[in-house]
Amino acid sequence: MLFVDPVATPLVRWTAMWTRITPNQVTWSALVLGLGAAACFAAGGSGGSGGWGWLVLGAVLYHFSFVLDCMDGKLARLTGTGSLFGEWLDFVFDRVRILVCAVALMGGQYARTGQPVYLWLALAVVFLDMLRYVDALQSARIRDGMRKQLLARLTEARQLDDEPRAAFMEELLRRYPEAGGDAAGQEPPGRGTAGGRPASLAGRVRALLQRHRIRVHLISGIEFQMGVFIVAPLAGAVVPVTIASGALLLLFELVVVRRLLMATRDFARRIDSFGSGSGSGPGPGPGSGTTPAMGAGLDAEITAGTDADDGAAAGPRAATAV
């Protein structure tokens, strides 16, 4: 986000204050620029001395399209004009832009060189983009299910006047109010902190980077798109940069799946340890030894969230506000 937010955030404020542009209009504009980038990518495969120039122009247009794509959700939240249709429009147009640009870029290079590797790369880019969205949407569904289980256990404990268990559930819900979302990589409040600040040096560095919108994880969909459609054309190295970006994204998704697996296993074990809620036996209170383990499991699951600003986990317009 280092090359996007410094441009997108001031533009969002200016747009909200001085224009009547709606978030959906911004989404449409992002699509138009994305299609323009695709046309340039296709022209870059025509051969001749101007081929690289077309790729550079396509990369520039894609970057501005990406800036607009990061603006629509921010503008919707800032002006209170968001809508469910806007979320759908943003999601569909993102997929259309990536599909068209991938076909144009790789197809153009295939037409120029005749090397089938570009056809395989086009398929790989589209597949990885869909994979990360399916992964993120399913992870969000699981996080929501975990939260619903906590709420159900809390309600049950209150009905049975089981104060220790109720207090424990309330503590978890306070520490993880949404059980995911934009908290990827953050230290949960109340653990590893001193005076509301992370106690460790690594935690303080992480918090500083996140305040400046610099991602601290490996690579997600945002970095993947920038690698394939901006860095690769600018560098004139479409094949190696695309392969590297795809491999890093796939590695990141595997890490997400592993963390989610560990978190769900830990969550199920801890929930089962609460018993049926019959009230028999002492419940695990807020100060019991079970709290850190349960917190660690939820923290690991939270870290599995991906693409907060790209809207993968919580909806295209549910990213961090301006």
Side-chain angles (χ1 to χ4, degrees):
M1 300 303 291
L2 182 62
F3 301 104
V4 177
D5 265 14
V7 179
T9 300
L11 282 177
V12 167
R13 295 194 179 104
W14 184 88
T15 302
M17 291 177 59
W18 301 106
T19 74
R20 294 185 177 181
I21 296 175
T22 66
N24 286 351
Q25 290 172 338
V26 175
T27 304
W28 275 99
S29 300
L31 176 66
V32 170
L33 284 180
L35 295 178
C40 294
F41 290 149
S46 60
S49 58
W52 184 71
W54 281 112
L55 293 182
V56 171
L57 180 58
V60 172
L61 288 178
Y62 195 91
H63 179 74
F64 284 118
S65 171
F66 203 77
V67 170
L68 291 179
D69 184 43
C70 291
M71 286 178 57
D72 52 8
K74 291 174 166 55
L75 183 63
R77 288 187 298 275
L78 188 62
T79 59
T81 55
S83 65
L84 293 176
F85 178 75
E87 292 187 5
W88 176 87
L89 196 70
D90 190 21
F91 173 83
V92 171
F93 281 7
D94 281 352
R95 308 284 68 73
V96 170
R97 180 184 60 191
I98 292 176
L99 173 63
V100 173
C101 284
V103 171
L105 177 61
M106 304 306 172
Q109 295 305 299
Y110 173 73
R112 183 179 65 86
T113 65
Q115 297 180 8
V117 64
Y118 290 104
L119 300 180
W120 289 108
L121 286 179
L123 291 174
V125 168
V126 175
F127 169 76
L128 288 173
D129 178 68
M130 295 307 300
L131 173 65
R132 72 185 181 87
Y133 260 88
V134 170
D135 186 15
L137 290 173
Q138 289 301 308
S139 296
R141 184 181 67 83
I142 292 175
R143 287 196 299 272
D144 183 61
M146 293 167 70
R147 175 171 172 78
K148 286 179 180 178
Q149 286 192 51
L150 288 177
L151 288 172
R153 295 283 178 156
L154 173 60
T155 301
E156 189 178 39
R158 285 174 173 172
Q159 291 174 346
L160 296 172
D161 293 327
D162 191 341
E163 291 301 327
R165 292 187 181 183
F168 182 72
M169 295 297 180
E170 289 173 349
E171 170 70 13
L172 290 179
L173 289 171
R174 277 195 299 269
R175 291 173 59 187
Y176 307 100
E178 296 180 3
D182 197 31
Q186 296 183 13
E187 292 189 15
R191 189 180 70 187
T193 60
R197 298 176 56 191
S200 66
L201 176 61
R204 290 195 294 270
V205 172
R206 185 185 302 115
L208 175 65
L209 292 175
Q210 288 174 341
R211 283 197 300 271
H212 292 278
R213 308 293 293 135
I214 299 175
R215 294 171 176 267
V216 294
H217 54 245
L218 183 61
I219 181 173
S220 65
I222 292 177
E223 293 81 10
F224 174 67
Q225 289 185 56
M226 296 191 74
V228 173
F229 299 118
I230 298 177
V231 176
L234 289 177
V238 174
V239 173
V241 173
T242 301
I243 291 176
S245 300
L248 289 174
L249 177 64
L250 186 58
L251 178 60
F252 175 75
E253 293 300 325
L254 291 175
V255 171
V256 167
V257 171
R258 180 179 179 275
R259 284 178 171 173
L260 185 60
L261 174 63
M262 295 174 61
T264 52
R265 284 179 175 175
D266 182 73
F267 181 83
R269 183 171 59 253
R270 299 301 172 180
I271 286 292
D272 290 342
S273 72
F274 295 155
S276 61
S278 60
S280 60
S288 72
T290 354
T291 305
M294 176 61 127
L298 284 178
D299 189 33
E301 197 279 331
I302 282 173
T303 314
T306 62
D307 289 298
D309 263 19
D310 200 23
R317 289 188 177 168
T320 305
V322 178

